[in-house]
């Protein structure tokens, strides 16, 4: 079925190191969204990318949408302990459904 | 008000019980959603309501019964659940039922079926 694949599943970094998570789709996406879920919390919307090749920044977070609109990435520069959580990409599927990738769980060692 | 409020936050119920989860938003959003999330897994779509009408049911068992009394409220009625239904149940809303709007999620109801 239509899926959004996300890697890696887990990432453990030292505070100050960079972090990247990747999202891939077998079909072209009209847009892609990113969410963050803190441990014990709920998903929080971060951003949406719509245009081919789009790059958006939020402070230390950089989001990219691939030229073919089939992949996306989230890069965090100089991670902090407040970045801990699971990062999900989510893409639209037929019928108006928003489907989440498997998520990347980020842990940051102080 | 930019929140989605879910009650209760925690619920323990027996397999013969009937309970309801409640969700409320006052952002004027016309689309509301129920998602189920198991530990270490992504949220899985259950139901979509658009303008108070059920538009998507992701083949959810009938022991889960959604209801949208008005544009601000969404309920999920539970009956004869199984232990494997234990999960975090998340309500979300968006301006309209289109996937080019970010969803606002509530903090969820953590359900345990015993």
């Amino acid at each position: 079925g239509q899926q959004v694949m996300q890697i890696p599943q887990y990432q453990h970094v030292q505070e100050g190191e960079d972090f990247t998570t990747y999202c891939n789709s077998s079909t072209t996406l009209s847009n892609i969204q990113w969410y963050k879920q803190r441990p014990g919390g709920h998903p929080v919307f971060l951003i949406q990318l719509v245009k081919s090749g789009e790059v958006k920044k939020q402070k230390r977070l950089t989001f990219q949408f691939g030229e073919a609109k089939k992949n996306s990435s989230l890069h965090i520069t100089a991670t902090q302990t407040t970045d801990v959580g699971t990062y999900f990409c989510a893409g639209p599927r037929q019928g108006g459904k928003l489907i989440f990738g498997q998520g990347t769980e980020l842990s940051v060692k102080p | 008000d930019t929140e989605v409020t879910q009650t209760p936050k925690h619920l323990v119920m027996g397999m013969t019980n009937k309970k309801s989860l409640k969700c409320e938003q006052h952002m004027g959003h016309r689309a509301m959603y129920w998602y189920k999330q198991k530990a270490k897994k992504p949220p899985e779509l259950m139901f979509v309501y658009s303008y108070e009408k059920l538009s998507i049911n992701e083949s959810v068992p009938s022991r889960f019964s959604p209801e949208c009394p008005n544009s601000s409220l969404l309920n999920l009625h539970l009956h004869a659940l199984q232990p494997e239904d234990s999960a975090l149940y998340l309500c979300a809303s968006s301006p309209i039922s289109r996937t080019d709007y970010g969803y606002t999620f509530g903090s969820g109801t953590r359900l345990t079926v015993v």
Side-chain angles (χ1 to χ4, degrees):
Chain A
Q2 295 173 308
Q3 290 185 4
V4 177
M5 306 303 293
Q6 194 173 350
I7 57 169
Q9 189 174 357
Y10 301 97
Q11 186 79 57
H12 309 285
V13 300
Q14 192 79 31
E15 188 172 22
E17 292 181 339
D18 292 356
F19 159 78
T20 305
T21 174
Y22 301 90
C23 200
N24 292 288
S25 170
S26 57
T27 58
T28 301
L29 301 169
S30 59
N31 66 80
I32 194 157
Q33 299 178 12
W34 286 92
Y35 292 78
K36 176 183 178 180
Q37 186 171 18
R38 294 181 184 273
H42 59 279
V44 174
F45 175 70
L46 295 177
I47 208 162
Q48 176 174 267
L49 305 172
V50 179
K51 298 177 182 177
S52 169
E54 189 170 17
V55 178
K56 287 189 176 180
K57 293 191 176 185
Q58 290 180 350
K59 298 183 181 179
R60 295 177 294 102
L61 278 60
T62 302
F63 303 84
Q64 293 190 345
F65 202 10
E67 293 289 341
K69 301 183 72 173
K70 289 184 176 182
N71 57 74
S72 181
S73 65
L74 159 58
H75 179 83
I76 302 178
T77 303
T79 54
Q80 300 175 358
T81 55
T82 53
D83 295 323
V84 164
T86 300
Y87 293 84
F88 292 100
C89 61
R93 288 302 182 221
Q94 191 172 9
K97 306 172 189 177
L98 187 67
I99 304 300
F100 286 75
Q102 292 300 304
T104 296
E105 183 178 341
L106 172 64
S107 64
V108 179
K109 187 175 181 181
Chain B
D1 189 351
T2 57
E3 285 189 342
V4 174
T5 304
Q6 288 188 244
T7 56
K9 294 196 180 305
H10 300 274
L11 178 63
V12 179
M13 61 185 291
M15 289 187 285
T16 58
N17 291 161
K18 286 186 179 180
K19 295 287 184 184
S20 297
L21 310 185
K22 297 185 183 301
C23 175
E24 188 170 7
Q25 58 88 13
H26 294 288
M27 295 177 282
H29 288 177
R30 303 312 299 269
M32 297 185 76
Y33 312 87
W34 281 113
Y35 277 83
K36 174 184 176 179
Q37 187 177 30
K38 300 281 261 184
K40 304 289 186 182
K41 295 294 185 182
E44 294 180 8
L45 182 64
M46 299 176 71
F47 302 103
V48 177
Y49 271 84
S50 177
Y51 291 87
E52 296 111 70
K53 294 191 187 306
L54 182 65
S55 61
I56 294 175
N57 176 342
E58 283 288 89
S59 302
V60 179
S62 60
R63 57 185 184 268
F64 296 90
S65 176
E67 178 196 21
C68 190
N70 59 56
S71 60
S72 300
L73 293 173
L74 186 65
N75 299 322
L76 186 63
H77 303 298
L78 313 174
H79 174 56
L81 294 194
Q82 303 297 311
E84 58 265 29
D85 296 322
S86 299
L88 178 66
Y89 288 84
L90 294 161
C91 174
S93 71
S94 64
I96 57 175
S97 177
R98 284 177 53 172
T99 52
D100 48 0
Y101 290 93
Y103 289 7
T104 302
F105 281 86
S107 57
T109 294
R110 200 162 295 276
L111 174 68
T112 303
V113 181
V114 297

